[in-house]
Amino acid sequence: MKKAFVLAALAMTAVTAHADTVRFGIDGNYPPFAKQGADGKLQGFDVDIAYALCNAMKVTCQIVPQDWDGLIPALNANKFDAILSSMSITDERKKAVDFSNKYYNTPSRMIARAGTKVDQAAFKGKKIGALRASTRKNSPRISGARAAPPSFPTARHQKVSST
């Protein structure tokens, strides 16, 4: 998956040319990229990148926590100036926001207990959970599997049962 800052670098330059503070919207439910620390503040890779960018631009950095599925609507409502939340670049998202170049690449992976048989047949008729508004929400690519129903709006993942 391509990961990118939302807003092109030139747009960030335009934002900072008229601002002393840059507000980054970050989803805090994606460790180690972002999570809530013991002090209640967000911490992690995306937060570190935000502070490094603000330091380079010589502006104050404000981290604005935002649930994943509200990031783009909140950006478009001016709740913050940019999204820094490991967002994949998609054609659909390009219609709503501008992207810079990706800053890292992490492909999706299926994780299972050691010794678990993981093949096409193992997932026939099973439900696979995915983060709402993510690039994986509507794309189960395992033959016979179906996407989990949207009846778990706060769930971040769902265990696939072996029974």
Side-chain angles (χ1 to χ4, degrees):
M1 293 188 290
K2 296 177 183 177
K3 308 295 181 187
F5 299 112
V6 176
L7 291 182
L10 291 175
M12 284 304 301
T13 302
V15 167
T16 59
H18 297 96
D20 294 326
T21 300
V22 175
R23 302 165 301 155
F24 285 102
I26 297 178
D27 174 18
N29 295 306
Y30 195 52
F33 298 94
K35 67 177 186 171
Q36 187 173 11
D39 62 359
K41 295 180 181 177
L42 291 184
Q43 61 186 29
F45 180 74
D46 288 334
V47 177
D48 293 344
I49 293 289
Y51 283 114
L53 287 169
C54 289
N55 185 49
M57 294 183 286
K58 298 181 181 9
V59 297
T60 301
C61 204
Q62 182 181 354
I63 304 301
V64 181
Q66 177 65 53
D67 286 341
W68 175 259
D69 56 350
L71 282 167
I72 291 175
L75 174 68
N76 288 331
N78 286 330
K79 186 174 178 182
F80 36 78
D81 303 307
I83 294 171
L84 216 164
S85 224
S86 303
M87 185 173 284
S88 298
I89 301 169
T90 67
D91 289 337
E92 182 179 349
R93 290 178 181 156
K94 284 181 186 178
K95 293 174 186 174
V97 295
D98 293 326
F99 286 87
S100 71
N101 293 330
K102 65 181 178 176
Y103 60 103
Y104 72 95
N105 186 38
T106 305
S108 295
R109 296 284 186 251
M110 177 67 69
I111 300 172
R113 220 175 286 135
T116 301
K117 185 177 180 180
V118 180
D119 62 14
Q120 298 288 328
F123 294 100
K124 186 172 176 108
K126 303 294 184 193
K127 294 179 183 176
I128 299 173
L131 178 63
R132 192 177 42 198
S134 72
T135 56
R136 297 294 173 239
K137 181 185 179 297
N138 295 316
S139 61
R141 299 288 189 237
I142 301 169
S143 178
R146 61 189 189 281
S151 59
F152 304 101
T154 59
R156 294 294 181 202
H157 56 82
Q158 180 177 344
K159 183 177 179 181
V160 176
S161 173
S162 60
T163 58

